[in-house]
Amino acid sequence: MENDTLEIVNESKISGILDGTKDPSFEEVKRVLKKAREKKGLSVEEVGVLVNMKGEENMKELFRVASLIKNEIYGERLVFFAPLYASDYCVNDCEYCNFHASNKNAKRSRLSMEEVRAQTEILINMGHKRVLLEFGEDPVQADIDYVVSVIDAIYSVKTPKGNIRRINVNIAATTTEDYRKLKAAHIGTYQLFQETYHRETYRKLHKGPKADYDRQITAQDRALEAGIDDRGLGVLFGLYDWRFEILSLISHAEYLEKSGGVGPHTISVPRLCEAPTVNYRPEYPISDDDFLKAIAIIRLAVPYTGMIISTRETAELRRKAFKIGISQTSAASVTTTGGYGKKSAMSQFESHDKRNVEEVIEDAVEQNLLPSFCTACYRMGRTGENFMGIAKPGEIHEFCRPNGIITFAEYLEDFAPRELKDKGYRLINHFLGLIDDERLKKKTAEHLELVKKGKRDLFF
Ligand code: SAM
Ligand code: SF4
């Protein structure tokens, strides 16, 4: 199989590019950064130049260009979601994860449908509208029919404070047939992280069905075959050299676009965290500076791919990351099965941002970012190629700002204390004024009034 996956990521080619772009000249870096400004993305070779560049001037320019692109394409909005762990049974033995099979003393659990609905209600009452559903891999405890039942149970919960409107799913690599069931259950994005694109490191760190590198790297092809066209990639930073991982990620993104006509919908940037029962220590720890550099480079290389950061990172680092490329963030996450609303010892890993949703939102508002709970695109059929067709010419912005405004107003009405509500509406009025299209501005203002009167779930 190895030969078949070379088209996705060719390790020796990537190592060759990393060697060939060592110590790039100031002119070379300038050329690549100038090209990035065109917002047409970068080749793997050009990404090689950026990961290898050094010097304060270059870094400043990289961050400047990354934040320009972030602003032009995503504007001020920051989309919020929360993970929900449904089952921590796992047949794999990933060195880095507390759910690994070698954690024999673990008291494992999976949620009953009643518990799923109770967890969903808690998330809704925190203000969330989007969930990222997480499972360990276990063909008995968490087979695809269980996964689908969990999805159905979440969507079925309707409360006076709203409902979950989009469920993204992170399950282990599986068959086209299983992905068809996910598609039929109306998932949003299917996310799967390669963890590391370095085959030898991948082999060393995994045991069980996930140890099959080829099964993992070809999973997104099967997902597309099943009709899932919003696909999310990622690597777990710390397992191998981040430079190699970034080039590989971009190579995988190029491959998805070439083979399926649509690139990744999102790229996540998880970084290894401490975890109970995990003795593995990152062999290639990535410093905060390099991590931010990696985020900025991804922003330049695939400008139309949403980028996701989680509460694995500190508030301080997240603030910086929002400026240079991140468009989606989790808040107030719990990484234990059924862990919302109660204490539990069985967390997958330690989070580093433990603030509640309100605190994260307040902080975003302070930075002039517009918290968005928008889920309009996939509900309007704007997925995959359709989505990219409007995202690339910049038209998506037209919908995102009004939808961000309306969903943030819902949050302010339903959850925010007085002071945050005042600050939030000041921000909303500012961004409402920036909507160019007069007709759309008027319609958004009308929707806002309806939200204030209690109407919900309006979108463009
Ligand atoms: N079990 C599935 C899988 O492995 O693909 C589903 C997702 S797992 C719950 C989500 C992700 O958490 C993994 O893909 C991995 O990248 C990440 N993860 C595992 N252990 C971690 C740790 N110690 N620190 C940070 N992220 C971790
Ligand atoms: Fe299981 Fe996923 Fe954890 Fe690996 S990362 S042990 S597959 S839950």
Side-chain angles (χ1 to χ4, degrees):
M1 185 80 163
E2 184 170 341
N3 278 341
D4 295 344
T5 63
L6 286 181
E7 236 191 304
I8 309 177
V9 168
N10 182 332
E11 277 190 33
S12 50
K13 196 169 151 202
I14 297 227
S15 301
I17 294 173
L18 276 175
D19 273 347
T21 47
K22 260 198 187 124
D23 295 322
S25 67
F26 184 69
E27 284 65 37
E28 187 58 4
V29 172
K30 209 166 140 188
R31 183 192 69 76
V32 174
L33 290 176
K34 190 162 168 227
K35 177 168 172 217
R37 277 296 287 121
E38 294 167 19
K39 293 182 286 190
K40 294 198 179 115
L42 297 175
S43 67
V44 177
E45 285 77 7
E46 288 160 341
V47 172
V49 170
L50 296 187
V51 299
N52 275 317
M53 74 178 199
K54 295 193 186 75
E56 214 174 302
E57 277 304 296
N58 283 340
M59 290 300 290
K60 262 200 201 145
E61 186 58 10
L62 169 70
F63 289 136
R64 193 184 70 84
V65 175
S67 65
L68 280 175
I69 292 180
K70 152 99 209 271
N71 270 329
E72 285 167 19
I73 296 178
Y74 300 88
E76 63 283 355
R77 86 204 146 88
L78 182 62
V79 172
F80 279 75
F81 72 94
L84 176 58
Y85 284 70
S87 170
D88 52 42
Y89 285 97
C90 196
V91 294
N92 292 310
D93 208 6
C94 307
E95 288 275 351
Y96 42 80
C97 174
N98 184 36
F99 295 164
H100 51 188
S102 62
N103 182 0
K104 298 254 189 283
N105 294 328
K107 251 187 94 214
R108 296 185 188 258
S109 59
R110 69 168 201 174
L111 301 180
S112 66
M113 292 311 129
E114 200 179 314
E115 287 167 325
V116 171
R117 287 190 290 271
Q119 289 285 293
T120 305
E121 269 197 45
I122 296 177
L123 287 172
I124 294 169
N125 286 324
M126 288 159 75
H128 284 296
K129 299 284 189 281
R130 276 180 184 236
V131 155
L132 170 62
L133 203 44
E134 306 269 8
F135 300 80
E137 178 171 4
D138 190 314
V140 178
Q141 296 289 351
D143 66 355
I144 196 69
D145 296 331
Y146 172 74
V147 173
V148 168
S149 313
V150 172
I151 295 170
D152 291 345
I154 296 173
Y155 278 139
S156 76
V157 178
K158 312 273 183 224
T159 81
K161 299 257 173 163
N163 59 304
I164 295 299
R165 300 170 181 164
R166 177 178 177 124
I167 303 173
N168 298 331
V169 177
N170 190 182
I171 56 163
T174 184
T175 59
T176 309
E177 211 174 281
D178 283 359
Y179 288 130
R180 283 210 177 93
K181 293 188 179 173
L182 278 189
K183 171 74 185 168
H186 305 290
I187 65 158
T189 309
Y190 171 59
Q191 291 187 13
L192 184 70
F193 306 153
Q194 183 61 30
E195 319 295 8
T196 172
Y197 284 95
H198 190 252
R199 203 175 267 272
E200 182 53 22
T201 306
Y202 190 94
R203 194 189 56 74
K204 275 200 299 201
L205 296 179
H206 300 97
K207 284 195 203 85
K210 184 169 167 182
D212 183 346
Y213 179 100
D214 296 324
R215 182 189 83 154
Q216 191 86 352
I217 206 168
T218 55
Q220 297 291 6
D221 298 339
R222 294 188 294 283
L224 185 67
E225 223 177 285
I228 299 174
D229 51 4
D230 279 354
R231 299 172 291 173
L233 302 180
V235 293
L236 184 54
F237 286 99
L239 305 187
Y240 191 65
D241 182 354
W242 69 270
R243 299 170 186 86
F244 177 91
E245 303 288 23
I246 295 283
L247 265 64
S248 304
L249 253 178
I250 301 309
S251 168
H252 196 173
E254 266 181 8
Y255 166 82
L256 293 190
E257 174 134 24
K258 250 192 288 166
S259 61
V262 59
H265 190 67
T266 54
I267 288 184
S268 302
V269 291
R271 183 160 61 153
L272 195 71
C273 298
E274 320 77 79
T277 76
V278 168
N279 298 319
Y280 170 77
R281 289 292 165 263
E283 277 179 74
Y284 295 84
I286 170 170
S287 68
D288 287 355
D289 285 350
D290 282 343
F291 185 58
L292 289 166
K293 183 177 174 187
I295 290 172
I297 293 173
I298 297 173
R299 182 67 302 134
L300 267 51
V302 281
Y304 294 95
T305 294
M307 229 196 296
I308 305 178
I309 202 163
S310 72
T311 56
R312 290 176 180 87
E313 301 301 330
T314 61
E316 193 190 347
L317 190 129
R318 278 150 59 85
R319 254 174 236 129
K320 291 180 185 159
F322 296 156
K323 286 210 172 75
I324 56 164
I326 296 295
S327 54
Q328 296 186 27
T329 182
S330 50
S333 307
V334 166
T335 64
T336 58
T337 303
Y340 289 103
K342 65 167 184 261
K343 284 239 168 305
S344 157
M346 184 65 180
S347 65
Q348 191 194 15
F349 54 81
E350 296 295 333
S351 297
H352 292 111
D353 181 352
K354 301 202 188 321
R355 294 172 299 169
N356 63 29
V357 176
E358 191 187 310
E359 288 166 316
V360 182
I361 297 241
E362 184 142 21
D363 197 10
V365 169
E366 293 293 330
Q367 294 174 76
N368 285 329
L369 291 167
L370 180 75
S372 170
F373 294 86
C374 177
T375 55
C377 272
Y378 100 107
R379 296 162 83 207
M380 296 287 284
R382 296 192 294 259
T383 64
E385 251 177 290
N386 271 344
F387 172 83
M388 287 299 172
I390 49 173
K392 290 196 172 167
E395 290 162 25
I396 192 72
H397 210 43
E398 275 191 37
F399 302 110
C400 294
R401 182 174 275 153
N403 284 330
I405 287 176
I406 295 163
T407 55
F408 185 38
E410 284 186 347
Y411 175 85
L412 294 175
E413 291 297 326
D414 290 340
F415 304 101
R418 187 76 255 161
E419 207 183 317
L420 178 56
K421 199 168 168 184
D422 291 345
K423 279 191 207 163
Y425 272 115
R426 274 201 294 281
L427 196 71
I428 282 182
N429 288 332
H430 168 69
F431 288 121
L432 182 66
L434 296 183
I435 298 178
D436 288 332
D437 181 324
E438 286 304 324
R439 197 192 51 84
L440 195 59
K441 188 190 289 187
K442 189 160 165 276
K443 197 91 200 127
T444 308
E446 284 167 13
H447 278 9
L448 260 182
E449 286 314 307
L450 289 174
V451 169
K452 286 180 192 167
K453 287 188 185 128
K455 188 110 180 86
R456 295 290 174 268
D457 208 10
L458 301 162
F459 55 90
F460 296 102

